[in-house]
C-alpha cells in the first residue's frame, strides 16, 4: 500500500443523502421540519402521560420511554447534519463519529427492546387480564427497562470498541448524513471480518431476541382473540394492538432491509431504509399512538386546555 493510502484519518466527510448542494438544501429543510415535529410530538406524549394519573400504567410507562428514545435517536443524527449545513462544512471528527455510532446503536436497539416489552404487556393484558396487575408490577416494569438499557449499552460499547480498532486510510467520504456503522466499515482499510462476525452473531442475537418476543406474544394474542365469541370482542382486543403493530412493522421492516447482510454490500437503498427508522419512525410514532388511542387523545386535550 502506498504512502498516500497510509495517511490516517482524523475526520470523516458526511456527503449527505444526495451529494448535490441544491438537493441537500431541500433535504436539510425537510429534516429540520421533521426533527421539530418529532421533538414536539414525543414531548407532548411524555407530558400527557406524566400529567394524567389515569395513564400511570405499564403500557403508558413503556410508551413514555419509547418517546424518550425516539427523541434521543433523532437528536443523535439530525442536529449534526443541520449544523454542518449552516456552517458550510461536511466534516465530523473521528471521536464525534465514534460517539455517534455508540449512541446510534444504543438507541436503535433500545427501540426494539421497548417494542418487545410493550408486546409482552399487551399479551398479559389480553391473555391474562385477571392477573395483569399481579404480573405487571411497577418493580418488574422498571427492571425490564433497566435491563434493556444495560444490554443495549454493552452491545453498543462492544461494536464501538471493535470499530475503534480498525484503521482508516485516505478515503474518508461517507455517503450518508451521519456515521452509520456499515458505511464506516466499508471505508476501513483493515480486515473487518471480526466486526462483521459480531454483527451477525451478537448483533443478530440482540436483534432476534426482542423480535422473537414480539412474534411469540402476538401469536398467543391472536390465538386467544380468535376464540372470542363475538366480532366486537375481537375488534376491541385487536384495537389495543393496532398502533403497536404499525410501529413494529415500520421499525423492523427497515432494520431487516439494512443490517441483515454483510457491510460490503451496503448500498443507497439501505441509506433510504436507515432514514425510515432513524427519522420517519420517531416522527410518526406520536401520531400513530395518539390518533388511535382515546386515552392519549383525552390526556393531550386536557394538557392543552390546562396550558
Amino acid at each position: 500500500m502506498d504512502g498516500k493510502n497510509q495517511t490516517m484519518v482524523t475526520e470523516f466527510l458526511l456527503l449527505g443523502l444526495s451529494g448535490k448542494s441544491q438537493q441537500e438544501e431541500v433535504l436539510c429543510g425537510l429534516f429540520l421540519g421533521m426533527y421539530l415535529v418529532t421533538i414536539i410530538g414525543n414531548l407532548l406524549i411524555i407530558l400527557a402521560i406524566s400529567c394524567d394519573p389515569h395513564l400511570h400504567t405499564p403500557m403508558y410507562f413503556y410508551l413514555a420511554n419509547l418517546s424518550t428514545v425516539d427523541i434521543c435517536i433523532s437528536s443523535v443524527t439530525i442536529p449534526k447534519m443541520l449544523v454542518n449545513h449552516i456552517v458550510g462544512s461536511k466534516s465530523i471528527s473521528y471521536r464525534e463519529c465514534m460517539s455517534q455510532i455508540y449512541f446510534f446503536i444504543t438507541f436503535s436497539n433500545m427501540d426494539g427492546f421497548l417494542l418487545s416489552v410493550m408486546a409482552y404487556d399487551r399479551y398479559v393484558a389480553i391473555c391474562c387480564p385477571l392477573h395483569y396487575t399481579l404480573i405487571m408490577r411497577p418493580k418488574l416494569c422498571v427492571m425490564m427497562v433497566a435491563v434493556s438499557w444495560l444490554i443495549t449499552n454493552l452491545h453498543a460499547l462492544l461494536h464501538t470498541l471493535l470499530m475503534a480498532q480498525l484503521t482508516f486510510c485516505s478515503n474518508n467520504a461517507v455517503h450518508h448524513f451521519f456515521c452509520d456503522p456499515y458505511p464506516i466499515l466499508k471505508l476501513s482499510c483493515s480486515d473487518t471480518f471480526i466486526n462483521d462476525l459480531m454483527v451477525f452473531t451478537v448483533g443478530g442475537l440482540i436483534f432476534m431476541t426482542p423480535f422473537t418476543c414480539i412474534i411469540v406474544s402476538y401469536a398467543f394474542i391472536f390465538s386467544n382473540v380468535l376464540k372470542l365469541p363475538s366480532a366486537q370482542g375481537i375488534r376491541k382486543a385487536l384495537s389495543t394492538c393496532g398502533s403497536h403493530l404499525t410501529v413494529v412493522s415500520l421499525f423492523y421492516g427497515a432494520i431487516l432491509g439494512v443490517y441483515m447482510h454483510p457491510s460490503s454490500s451496503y448500498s443507497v437503498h439501505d441509506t433510504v431504509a436507515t432514514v425510515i427508522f432513524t427519522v420517519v419512525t420517531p416522527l410518526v410514532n406520536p401520531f400513530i399512538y395518539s390518533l388511535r388511542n382515546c386515552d392519549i387523545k383525552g390526556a393531550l386535550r386536557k394538557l392543552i386546555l390546562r396550558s
Side-chain angles (χ1 to χ4, degrees), residues 115-191:
L115 290 173
S116 70
V117 295
M118 290 172 78
Y120 176 71
D121 173 79
R122 292 299 82 208
Y123 157 73
V124 177
I126 293 173
C127 300
C128 312
L130 299 178
H131 299 94
Y132 181 79
T133 54
L134 181 65
I135 296 172
M136 300 303 294
R137 301 182 306 277
K139 186 178 179 180
L140 176 65
C141 296
V142 172
M143 186 181 72
M144 285 198 290
V145 172
V147 170
S148 297
W149 276 114
L150 177 63
I151 293 172
T152 54
N153 274 277
L154 289 175
H155 179 236
L157 183 63
L158 169 66
H159 285 289
T160 308
L161 290 176
L162 286 173
M163 188 79 72
Q165 302 301 313
L166 298 176
T167 302
F168 297 93
C169 304
S170 58
N171 184 14
N172 66 341
V174 183
H175 293 275
H176 217 314
F177 68 97
F178 74 100
C179 286
D180 189 346
Y182 264 20
I184 298 298
L185 280 176
K186 286 186 71 174
L187 297 180
S188 175
C189 51
S190 54
D191 187 10

Side-chain angles (χ1 to χ4, degrees), residues 108-109 111-116 206-212 214 246-258 260 277 281:
S108 297
N109 285 325
D111 245 352
F113 274 86
L114 284 172
L115 290 173
S116 70
I206 296 295
F207 170 81
M208 288 305 299
T209 300
F211 186 62
T212 303
I214 293 170
T246 305
V247 174
V248 167
S249 301
L250 271 174
F251 180 77
Y252 277 102
I255 286 186
L256 280 169
V258 178
M260 291 299 105
F277 75 87
T281 303

